[in-house]
Amino acid sequence: MPEQRDENLRKIRLDGAFDVIVLGGGINGIGVFRELALQGLRVLLVERNDFCSGCSAAPSRMIHGGLRYLENGEFDLVRESLAERDALLANAPHMVKPLPTTIPIRSTFSGLLNGAANFLGLSETPSNRGALAVKAGLALYDWTTRHRRVLPRHVFRGARRTFAQWPGLDPKLRYSATYYDAWISHPERLGIELLLDTARLAPQSVALNYAQLSREGAGLIVTDGVADIELDVTAKVLVNATGAWVDQSLAQLGIGAPADGRLVEGTKGSHLILDCEPLYRALNGHMIFYENQDGRVCIVFPYLGKVLAGSTDIRVSQVDRVRCEPEELDYILGSLRLVFPEIDVNASQVVYSYSGIRPLPKSDHAFTGRISRGHFVHRLEGDVPQFCMIGGKWTTFRAFAEQTADAVLGELGKPRLTSTLALAIGGGAGFIGDGADTVEALIKEYGIDRSRADHLIAAYGANAVAVMAFCHGRADDVRLDERTEITGAEIVYLISGEFVVGLSDLLQRRTSLAIRGQLSRELIERVATILGHDQRWNANRRREEVQRFIGDLETYHGVSGETLDQRTQDRSTACA
């Protein structure tokens, strides 16, 4: 067991009294954990799986203001989202970067009356949005940030200029418009960096993954799933940040649902990662933000050398772990063929898929796109008052955490000591420009090649220096395989200080190996050997962990054992 986990368990064992216990280690739970800990409170975060492994691992990788929320009249949400987008661009520039976003447009006047009806709540039926409707929305989007503009204004084009830049787009288009939002390269890593920042700035607080909180009589117990031990804890306030699982977690803690029924009713969103070079080139560095035939807005953009496409929006009645089903894959691929009709996009190009449940407020809207992506805090009475975080999205996690923390501080009669609005996150502290100066410093100091230095900057920002200092002298020249710049020494670094317990933590969340389509059976075995040595697994345990992980990849991410074997064979052929 890593020393990091031993130390966290020791802190709980020595003193189980906390001001606040946060249940749920997705991005909202991590955000409120950081907010409260930095106000001087002693806070315990309990996550039953890995941090950012649920819905927080399945976003569209966009950090955006929510252009389409304007149709719903959610101006406050758009304003908040744009402010938080700009804050993340400043606080995490190593991971959050500007994203030019282009809307293909087929008509001039379509959507004006329907848009107005949607805005007034008279209609829920989506319709094609023409040039005038898009122009009005983008002008309002620009106007919202007029006093603190950090990204360029939108640009409108006719057909000739559109096809000059994107010749592969549907030839029936009449216009296009480009505006700017942002994208995030490694969302799960950002969650880990928030936790590491909190551990450094507020060491009195503790974050524990692979653990569960339960009630025993009037008391609370944390069960550690790794060491298989139970620890008594107390709290003055609980924060329920379990997202789509809020209602289930209330029941598990012996708290009934509110009188008006369930708090959360989610929708399922699935995404594909494609290795399609013609599509990657056709995007020309932009995200294409387009409408499918059913009116659902879809996206496609370059992501870590591949193409990310999505998403679906399917109402779910039962919250459980989900996967991209065949009909969803067909839906997304079909939508891509509409917007790029001359490009052969097919299922064989999908190297990874993922799906999650958006924790949306309970709603009666028939069209899921009309359900608010806003957030609110719901207080429940009890011997320990509980504040439930309902809704929210990646872009607004900090604002939602601040709102929840203020409610908790009010409950406890404590003042706010500091704001996190301008607080740098992880490797964003000291990150200058595009990191080129740090790349040169790494090359000069450690004699590594440029591709290795570029990888470290992209993954860790300014913290790349500390990572390389750790790796230097630990066989850092031995990469896991030729597909990646990640070395065995880097894997040891992650195990030692980033809350790693299982293979999926390393291969899907601390690194981007899985989502880039870089996993092979051989690479998985190598990482399992490194992790197993640290965890003291015997041969049977190591084999079981590998089999479980590969089964998980096939069931939930569309990566079969045969695909992993083929990638291993391809590597052997390439090296021959």
Side-chain angles (χ1 to χ4, degrees):
M1 186 187 302
E3 293 180 7
Q4 183 185 40
R5 191 175 190 90
D6 278 342
E7 175 61 17
N8 282 336
L9 291 173
R10 187 188 69 83
K11 287 180 179 179
I12 301 172
R13 191 180 292 110
L14 289 176
D15 183 1
F18 292 88
D19 295 305
V20 183
I21 295 178
V22 178
L23 188 60
I27 190 57
N28 285 333
I30 291 172
V32 76
F33 170 73
R34 180 181 72 145
E35 283 285 336
L36 289 168
L38 295 185
Q39 310 315 316
L41 299 182
R42 188 163 190 256
V43 189
L44 172 64
L45 173 62
V46 180
E47 162 57 43
R48 67 177 178 174
N49 295 306
D50 188 26
F51 299 120
C52 285
S53 62
C55 180
S56 296
S60 294
R61 265 73 180 163
M62 294 167 59
I63 299 296
H64 64 109
L67 177 64
R68 69 180 183 82
Y69 305 156
L70 293 173
E71 271 190 347
N72 296 348
E74 296 183 282
F75 297 113
D76 288 343
L77 177 58
V78 172
R79 188 179 300 109
E80 178 186 69
S81 298
L82 287 170
E84 293 300 316
R85 178 202 70 185
D86 293 349
L88 279 167
L89 282 165
N91 296 335
H94 58 312
M95 290 191 193
V96 180
K97 303 179 186 297
L99 177 64
T101 302
T102 294
I103 306 172
I105 305 168
R106 290 182 170 81
S107 66
T108 303
F109 300 103
S110 177
L112 284 174
L113 293 178
N114 192 74
N118 282 338
F119 176 77
L120 296 171
L122 302 176
S123 171
E124 291 200 354
T125 305
S127 71
N128 182 264
R129 299 158 182 87
L132 292 180
V134 171
K135 180 71 175 177
L138 291 178
L140 187 55
Y141 209 61
D142 285 343
W143 183 83
T144 303
T145 57
R146 65 196 182 282
H147 295 310
R148 48 169 181 78
R149 185 174 308 284
V150 298
L151 295 176
R153 293 175 178 270
H154 79 274
V155 175
F156 229 83
R157 303 177 195 81
R160 188 175 65 177
R161 288 179 59 204
T162 296
F163 293 120
Q165 197 159 347
W166 297 279
L169 282 173
D170 180 5
K172 296 177 183 177
L173 297 179
R174 299 181 62 185
Y175 315 92
S176 68
T178 295
Y179 69 101
Y180 279 77
D181 262 324
W183 70 290
I184 180 169
S185 55
H186 305 89
E188 300 95 332
R189 283 209 54 79
L190 189 70
I192 295 299
E193 290 196 352
L194 288 164
L195 290 171
L196 294 174
D197 286 349
T198 306
R200 175 174 52 84
L201 297 171
Q204 76 280 4
S205 293
V206 178
L208 201 63
N209 56 353
Y210 294 99
Q212 295 201 56
L213 183 70
S214 59
R215 294 187 75 107
E216 187 170 296
L220 294 168
I221 293 176
V222 169
T223 302
D224 176 60
V226 179
D228 193 26
I229 59 173
E230 293 184 347
L231 300 169
D232 293 327
V233 292
T234 62
K236 301 168 186 174
V237 171
L238 293 178
V239 174
N240 190 322
T242 55
W245 282 263
V246 162
D247 294 292
Q248 285 85 340
S249 61
L250 288 176
Q252 289 170 8
L253 289 173
I255 302 171
D260 55 354
R262 294 171 58 188
L263 290 170
V264 173
E265 185 176 65
T267 67
K268 176 189 176 189
S270 294
H271 299 78
L272 307 178
I273 304 295
L274 297 107
D275 187 1
C276 179
E277 184 63 26
L279 180 58
Y280 184 90
R281 291 196 307 268
L283 292 169
N284 198 17
H286 282 229
M287 179 172 83
I288 304 298
F289 184 79
Y290 63 99
E291 297 173 9
N292 203 355
Q293 290 177 318
D294 60 357
R296 165 76 183 157
V297 173
C298 296
I299 61 167
V300 56
F301 67 96
Y303 178 75
L304 302 181
K306 299 296 190 293
V307 174
L308 188 155
S311 73
T312 55
D313 195 15
I314 303 169
R315 194 185 297 270
V316 293
S317 57
Q318 185 67 35
V319 178
D320 204 347
R321 194 172 178 191
V322 291
R323 64 183 183 181
C324 180
E325 299 294 345
E327 58 270 22
E328 293 178 276
L329 183 145
D330 291 342
Y331 175 91
I332 297 171
L333 293 179
S335 75
L336 292 173
R337 297 182 190 114
L338 289 175
V339 73
F340 287 104
E342 299 303 315
I343 296 177
D344 178 24
V345 183
N346 59 73
S348 69
Q349 299 161 346
V350 178
V351 298
Y352 191 78
S353 64
Y354 63 92
S355 187
I357 297 178
R358 304 177 183 93
L360 305 181
K362 189 173 183 296
S363 171
D364 295 325
H365 286 299
F367 179 58
T368 53
R370 289 280 286 164
I371 302 175
S372 174
R373 266 53 173 178
H375 51 76
F376 63 91
V377 182
H378 185 93
R379 184 185 184 280
L380 292 174
E381 292 284 356
D383 53 341
V384 180
Q386 186 165 175
F387 291 83
C388 300
M389 301 178 75
I390 310 300
K393 61 195 185 86
W394 250 98
T395 304
T396 56
F397 82 85
R398 193 213 63 85
F400 193 10
E402 182 178 74
Q403 175 189 352
T404 308
D406 285 343
V408 172
L409 290 169
E411 179 79 21
L412 298 175
K414 300 286 187 179
R416 172 171 281 277
L417 302 180
T418 188
S419 170
T420 57
L421 180 61
L423 184 62
I425 298 171
F431 187 82
I432 300 172
D434 59 1
D437 289 347
T438 309
V439 166
E440 296 300 331
L442 288 170
I443 294 171
K444 182 177 180 180
E445 177 73 17
Y446 296 104
I448 60 177
D449 59 36
R450 187 169 299 277
S451 60
R452 171 75 174 142
D454 285 341
H455 154 71
L456 291 169
I457 292 296
Y460 306 101
N463 288 341
V465 176
V467 176
M468 194 59 226
F470 177 95
C471 294
H472 187 58
R474 288 182 168 89
D476 189 62
D477 57 331
V478 181
R479 297 175 186 180
L480 296 176
D481 68 20
E482 81 289 345
R483 292 185 182 90
T484 179
E485 297 296 330
I486 298 174
T487 66
E490 190 176 334
I491 293 294
V492 174
Y493 170 85
L494 296 172
I495 294 169
S496 69
E498 292 201 354
F499 311 100
V500 169
V501 171
L503 273 175
S504 62
D505 305 345
L506 283 167
L507 299 175
Q508 292 180 288
R509 290 177 288 280
R510 306 305 184 275
T511 70
S512 56
L513 287 165
I515 201 168
R516 285 178 187 257
Q518 294 177 326
L519 291 182
S520 65
R521 188 180 295 271
E522 184 178 37
L523 187 148
I524 293 169
E525 294 278 1
R526 287 183 178 178
V527 174
T529 297
I530 298 170
L531 181 58
H533 176 75
D534 179 86
Q535 304 272 13
R536 298 178 183 175
W537 294 343
N538 60 30
N540 286 338
R541 172 70 186 279
R542 177 183 166 282
R543 186 164 47 252
E544 289 170 0
E545 292 288 336
V546 169
Q547 290 174 347
R548 183 181 302 112
F549 176 69
I550 291 176
D552 208 61
L553 280 178
E554 183 159 12
T555 301
Y556 294 106
H557 301 286
V559 182
S560 67
E562 289 77 11
T563 296
L564 295 171
D565 289 336
Q566 184 61 51
R567 291 176 185 170
T568 296
Q569 183 177 338
D570 290 345
R571 176 188 178 278
S572 300
T573 302
C575 293

